[in-house]
Amino acid sequence: LRDNRIELVRASWHELSISVSDVSLSDEGQYTCSLFTMPVKTSKAFLTVLGVPEKPQITGFTSPVMEGERMQLTCKTSGSKPAADIRWFKNDKEVKDVKYLKEEDEVRKTFTVSSTLDFLADRSDDGAVVSCRVDHESLNSTPQIAMQVLEIHYTPLVKIISSNSWPEEGQSIVLTCESKGKPVPEPVLWTKDGGELPDPERMVVNGRVLSISFLNKTDNGTYRCEAKNPIGRNSTEYVLIVHDVFNTLLPTTVIPSLTTATVTTNVALTASTTTSATATSIRDPNGLTQTGPDHALIGGIVAVVVFVTLCSIILLGRYLARHKGTYLTNEAKGAEDAPDADTAIINAEGSQVNAEEKKEYFI
């Protein structure tokens, strides 16, 4: 061995040791140790040198990329021996559907490895970090990584947010148009029913916000918010319905539950008060607008009054039916001293002028 990188470490009759510094691929091969005896004895060993892959590089990205375009990113590394492994990640999530290619250098016995990631650009990929990871046994579990931040341009995404879910006459409402796009959209355009805003004094536009004060029925209609950028334009609509201030009661009749046959005036009044309070406290934002009195509530009150009247008549009739009247009996005079029934009847046939009145009640 004639090389300055080879150094004799230990030499004796029993052991001979050497060291090789700055190992290169040319150092790979078979090494032989010989003991010059009679006959000569030898021992051989094969040295394998790993080729460390170079730092990977990502190519094929041109910024910016329009939404819907096809992207092909290629990650490439050279000098690995054996061939290195390449893996793709998007925001730390591995991408499996990739193409893998390896080429061998016949002179150096190393490999050049490449992998291609093919996908359609989407707005959700804007700002995503795509990384190419190279794994090899020579890296001692410390992979080499190349990264690329994606920049995707896309048309605006528009959304209208209302400050009042149940607008009524005389109130105000604020409509906010949220637009997101890349590049950032220009100031939005507000229209009503396909034309300009009819009342600029009450309908004030401040950037992306439309404020309408003192709402009335003429404000009903479809409001459109449109946003655009160099890529394209987009819009969304909001249907405004202004409700009446009055007649916001829920058209529901609450019938009181009577559990006994005895109904007094106090119970009826209490039931009527409860019915009115219950019907007044319920609001139905989705109910139809009423323009007249609450007929259901009036009908409930009339039903309670009729029910109480009928119960009073029934109770009075039962009381009068219990009184059977008064009458005189023939047995009332002389029956106390008669020895038998016949004598009592004979004694009772006289005048009934002084007869005692007896009353009989039905119990």
Side-chain angles (χ1 to χ4, degrees), residues 32-35 40-44:
T32 304
C33 173
S34 299
L35 178 62
V40 177
K41 297 180 180 179
T42 60
S43 179
K44 298 180 180 181

Side-chain angles (χ1 to χ4, degrees), residues 217 244 246-249 251 287-295:
K217 293 292 186 179
D244 295 331
F246 311 101
N247 303 323
T248 57
L249 295 178
L288 297 177
T289 303
Q290 300 180 357
T291 58
D294 193 343
H295 299 288

Side-chain angles (χ1 to χ4, degrees), residues 263 268 302-315:
V263 180
V302 172
V304 173
V305 174
V306 172
F307 183 83
V308 173
T309 303
L310 291 177
C311 290
S312 301
I313 294 174
I314 293 174
L315 291 178

Side-chain angles (χ1 to χ4, degrees), residues 266-333:
N266 292 333
V267 174
L269 290 177
T270 303
S272 299
T273 303
T274 305
T275 304
S276 178
T278 304
T280 304
S281 62
I282 299 177
R283 296 171 61 92
D284 183 9
N286 296 321
L288 297 177
T289 303
Q290 300 180 357
T291 58
D294 193 343
H295 299 288
L297 179 61
I298 296 176
I301 297 176
V302 172
V304 173
V305 174
V306 172
F307 183 83
V308 173
T309 303
L310 291 177
C311 290
S312 301
I313 294 174
I314 293 174
L315 291 178
L316 181 61
R318 289 178 59 88
Y319 174 78
L320 294 178
R322 290 175 182 176
H323 192 275
K324 307 299 292 185
T326 61
Y327 59 92
L328 297 177
T329 61
N330 292 330
E331 293 84 3
K333 182 177 178 182

Side-chain angles (χ1 to χ4, degrees), residues 158-318:
V158 187
K159 179 182 179 183
I160 295 179
I161 300 177
S162 173
S163 64
N164 192 343
S165 60
W166 186 264
E168 297 179 349
E169 289 184 310
Q171 296 180 347
S172 61
I173 189 173
V174 177
L175 302 179
T176 303
C177 180
E178 290 188 350
S179 58
K180 181 182 179 182
K182 195 167 186 178
V184 177
E186 301 173 2
V188 299
L189 175 64
W190 283 98
T191 58
K192 178 178 183 282
D193 297 331
E196 297 182 354
L197 299 177
D199 192 347
E201 294 184 358
R202 293 187 303 109
M203 301 178 179
V204 180
V205 177
N206 184 11
R208 290 176 168 78
V209 178
L210 170 62
S211 302
I212 307 177
S213 58
F214 302 104
L215 291 171
N216 56 63
K217 293 292 186 179
T218 62
D219 297 327
N220 289 345
T222 301
Y223 292 80
R224 177 189 292 269
C225 170
E226 181 179 290
K228 64 179 181 178
N229 62 7
I231 309 303
R233 62 180 61 197
N234 201 353
S235 63
T236 187
E237 296 179 346
Y238 176 84
V239 179
L240 175 62
I241 300 178
V242 180
H243 302 272
D244 295 331
V245 178
F246 311 101
N247 303 323
T248 57
L249 295 178
L250 178 67
T252 303
T253 302
V254 180
I255 300 177
S257 176
L258 302 179
T259 57
T260 61
T262 302
V263 180
T264 64
T265 303
N266 292 333
V267 174
L269 290 177
T270 303
S272 299
T273 303
T274 305
T275 304
S276 178
T278 304
T280 304
S281 62
I282 299 177
R283 296 171 61 92
D284 183 9
N286 296 321
L288 297 177
T289 303
Q290 300 180 357
T291 58
D294 193 343
H295 299 288
L297 179 61
I298 296 176
I301 297 176
V302 172
V304 173
V305 174
V306 172
F307 183 83
V308 173
T309 303
L310 291 177
C311 290
S312 301
I313 294 174
I314 293 174
L315 291 178
L316 181 61
R318 289 178 59 88

